[in-house]
Amino acid sequence: MIEARQVRGREGLQWILSGFYLFRLSPFVWILLCFTLILIAATLELLPLLGKFIFTLLSPVFMAGIMVGCKSLEQGDQLELGHLFLGFKKNTVPLITIGGFYLIGQVLIIGVFMMIGGNALVDMLLYGKRFGEHELMGVMDNILSASIVGLLLTVPLMMAIWFAPLLVMFENMPPFIAIRKSFFACLKNIIPFQIYAIVLIILGVLAIMPYGLGLFIYIPTVFASIYVSYQDIFHPESTVIDKEAIEKKEKEEGTEGNS
């Protein structure tokens, strides 16, 4: 069974750069693929509450398909819209199991958030109750405390599912073993992931500023960078990007363009 390795901190930045490189190989298909995924999520949102639960359950399935698309690009093949749905053809049940784990984790975190925030926070968020100036100060203190605790709980949950769909899809790993390996792989590489997260936050802010147009590049790059980080940590013996295959593909495209 494969084991995670520890990489240097600067690799966190390299994951993003390599992710952008994978995006650049097929930008229009990437944008179409991500737009389709957002459209699916928006459609499910029309179902009150249930839609969010369904999308959370299915998100590892879509993620696994996108990662297969990244692997195709890495090997010099084409990225296709159909890659988004490949998770429904292979290891579907284990992938949905990961989604169930993520959903339960989210529900528990929201429960802790509401519990720390107290009844006043629940009334404000759910029923839109307004408070006076003195009451509002107390509510804001509760919101701050609840947000900090929620963030502290969300980070390990994200660590647990970060690589899990890839380990299930590429390694045929049982879901809970994949979840455990994902968590400890992220823990082992906490420094590069910190750099990775900081850079992504900065880029995310910049992507939103020009009327959100930067998100057309940002979202696909994030997806691709997840695949790159997986390859770097779990498969160091393989080239993260098969440059020879890519150069061959670019030459073929250039030849077709000239003809």
Side-chain angles (χ1 to χ4, degrees):
M1 190 173 290
I2 64 169
E3 296 295 336
R5 71 170 184 138
Q6 187 173 15
V7 302
R8 293 171 295 183
R10 65 184 184 185
E11 292 301 313
L13 176 59
Q14 185 59 49
W15 298 338
I16 299 171
L17 295 175
S18 296
F20 175 72
Y21 187 75
L22 285 178
F23 163 76
R24 195 169 62 85
L25 293 176
S26 191
F28 297 111
V29 181
W30 265 117
I31 292 172
L32 176 62
L33 188 149
C34 291
F35 177 78
T36 302
L37 181 60
I38 293 172
L39 185 62
I40 292 171
T43 303
L44 289 174
E45 282 285 337
L46 298 177
L47 301 173
L49 191 61
L50 183 61
K52 292 183 179 180
F53 287 167
I54 294 174
F55 185 74
T56 300
L57 285 173
L58 296 180
S59 56
V61 182
F62 292 122
M63 174 64 72
I66 294 172
M67 296 302 103
V68 175
C70 290
K71 189 175 185 66
S72 295
L73 278 176
E74 178 193 23
Q75 295 174 341
D77 296 327
Q78 297 288 335
L79 175 68
E80 300 174 357
L81 180 60
H83 280 121
L84 182 62
F85 306 101
L86 283 182
F88 291 98
K89 297 180 180 180
K90 178 185 176 184
N91 293 333
T92 307
V93 174
L95 290 169
I96 292 178
T97 302
I98 294 172
F101 175 86
Y102 185 43
L103 176 60
I104 293 172
Q106 283 186 326
V107 171
L108 291 175
I109 291 172
I110 292 172
V112 172
F113 178 82
M114 293 296 190
M115 183 177 65
I116 294 175
N119 294 331
L121 175 61
V122 175
D123 291 340
M124 186 176 71
L125 294 179
L126 297 183
Y127 307 112
K129 183 178 178 180
R130 295 180 179 275
F131 296 93
E133 184 177 344
H134 296 293
E135 290 179 305
L136 187 60
M137 291 298 294
V139 173
M140 293 304 294
D141 286 340
N142 290 340
I143 290 177
L144 179 60
S145 300
S147 299
I148 293 173
V149 173
L151 178 62
L152 292 176
L153 293 175
T154 299
V155 169
L157 177 62
M158 293 299 298
M159 291 167 63
I161 67 160
W162 191 259
F163 294 122
L166 293 91
L167 291 169
V168 166
M169 195 66 172
F170 295 133
E171 314 297 338
N172 294 313
M173 197 173 288
F176 290 106
I177 294 178
I179 288 170
R180 178 174 59 83
K181 279 196 171 290
S182 175
F183 176 80
F184 285 107
C186 292
L187 185 63
K188 195 173 186 177
N189 291 279
I190 194 68
I191 294 177
F193 269 107
Q194 285 178 336
I195 296 174
Y196 174 78
I198 291 171
V199 175
L200 280 185
I201 291 172
I202 295 172
L203 292 177
V205 172
L206 294 176
I208 294 172
M209 289 173 64
Y211 304 101
L213 295 177
L215 294 176
F216 287 107
I217 299 174
Y218 178 80
I219 295 175
T221 298
V222 172
F223 279 131
S225 69
I226 295 172
Y227 174 77
V228 173
S229 65
Y230 163 78
Q231 285 289 80
D232 193 24
I233 290 174
F234 286 97
H235 292 283
E237 72 284 351
S238 63
T239 305
V240 175
I241 296 179
D242 190 344
K243 293 184 178 180
E244 291 184 1
I246 290 171
E247 289 174 359
K248 181 179 178 182
K249 176 184 173 183
E250 290 178 343
K251 287 180 181 179
E252 290 176 353
E253 292 176 350
T255 302
E256 291 176 0
N258 293 330
S259 61

